[in-house]
């Protein structure tokens, strides 16, 4: 089983017929935290499978009805028990899922311009996770930040619901410096589904200043 984030969660599982005879149509169920008793968050119809063939089942889930944090999603083949099998013990696979916010800032989300003796950044922040981000802030960093590092320049705190975006403006005092990073939650103070997509690198971008003749 596998999950892909943003927005929502897409769950996929590859169902294989490893037997020597064809298998009739069946159902794969996606269960939360327990392959037998966990709540079913989605299910997909699987067509009949010839011996040696596979089928990729995919379902969308919004994370509703589950507590925040980390969970296990199980994909259970032949969930209804309707297929007579040589081995019933290999029908479940699993993957981890994080029901958390996911703050994202990409290079294409960032614009900048010079204003007098300072450099102004406008950046979009997206929440592509399944939970609200509370008390987030956008920061400018001189290098890739360490966890817990306070940004030298940061925005006021803001909340961002799942699927929402906000544009934030920051001003870097003095000249622009190659190697700046901009992003939300770069210090990792908010638990997220993915901390690897929070920051955009500004070091190789050529910014233009329009001056009077």
């Amino acid at each position: 089983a596998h999950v892909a984030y943003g927005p929502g969660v897409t769950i996929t599982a590859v169902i294989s017929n490893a037997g020597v005879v064809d298998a009739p149509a069946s159902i794969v169920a996606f269960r939360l935290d327990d392959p037998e008793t966990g709540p079913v968050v989605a299910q997909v119809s699987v067509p009949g499978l010839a011996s040696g063939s596979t089928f990729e089942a995919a379902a969308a889930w919004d994370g509703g009805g589950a507590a925040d944090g980390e969970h296990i999603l199980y994909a259970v083949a032949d969930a209804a028990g309707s297929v007579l099998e040589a081995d019933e013990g290999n029908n479940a696979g699993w993957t981890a899922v994080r029901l958390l916010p996911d703050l994202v800032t990409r290079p294409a989300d960032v614009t900048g311009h010079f204003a007098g003796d300072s450099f102004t950044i406008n950046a979009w922040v997206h929440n592509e996770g399944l939970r609200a981000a509370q008390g987030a802030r956008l920061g400018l960093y001189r290098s890739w930040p360490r966890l817990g590092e306070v940004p030298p320049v940061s925005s006021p705190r803001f909340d961002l619901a799942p699927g929402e975006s906000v544009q934030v403006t920051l001003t870097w005092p003095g000249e622009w410096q190659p190697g700046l990073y901009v992003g939300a939650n770069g210090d990792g103070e908010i638990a997220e589904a993915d901390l690897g997509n929070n920051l955009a690198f500004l070091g190789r971008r050529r910014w233009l200043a329009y001056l009077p003749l």
Side-chain angles (χ1 to χ4, degrees):
H2 173 74
V3 297
Y5 297 95
V9 163
T10 300
I11 320 164
T12 58
V14 177
I15 311 302
S16 305
N17 180 6
V20 296
V21 298
D22 296 349
S26 61
I27 296 290
V28 57
F30 295 98
R31 289 184 175 272
L32 189 67
D33 292 330
D34 189 287
E36 296 181 359
T37 63
V40 176
V41 301
Q43 59 183 20
V44 177
S45 297
V46 179
L49 294 177
S51 175
S53 64
T54 62
F55 174 79
E56 183 175 274
W61 181 44
D62 63 3
D68 296 358
E70 298 190 11
H71 295 268
I72 300 295
L73 272 175
Y74 291 89
V76 183
D78 187 26
S82 60
V83 180
L84 182 63
E85 299 185 57
D87 183 0
E88 298 281 357
N90 59 2
N91 284 16
W94 65 273
T95 188
V97 61
R98 308 190 76 191
L99 302 183
L100 297 166
D102 184 18
L103 297 172
V104 180
T105 299
R106 301 181 176 91
D109 295 322
V110 184
T111 59
H113 65 275
F114 294 97
D117 296 329
S118 62
F119 182 69
T120 298
I121 293 284
N122 296 307
W124 284 96
V125 181
H126 316 281
N127 183 2
E128 297 184 355
L130 298 176
R131 295 295 186 263
Q134 296 181 336
R137 61 180 173 181
L138 187 75
L140 274 171
Y141 302 86
R142 294 186 177 90
S143 60
W144 187 272
R146 301 180 302 274
L147 289 179
E149 180 179 344
V150 177
V153 176
S154 63
S155 71
R157 302 279 183 172
F158 57 87
D159 299 337
L160 207 56
E164 286 189 348
S165 301
V166 64
Q167 190 177 46
V168 183
T169 299
L170 294 176
T171 299
W172 183 267
E175 296 183 1
W176 171 70
Q177 300 179 15
L180 288 178
Y181 289 82
V182 61
N185 197 36
D187 49 12
E189 64 180 358
I190 299 173
E192 288 194 56
D194 183 0
L195 283 172
N197 55 11
N198 292 36
L199 296 165
F201 179 53
L202 307 182
R204 293 187 177 90
R205 182 168 298 191
R206 187 182 299 274
W207 304 99
L208 300 177
Y210 296 93
L211 304 175
L213 298 177

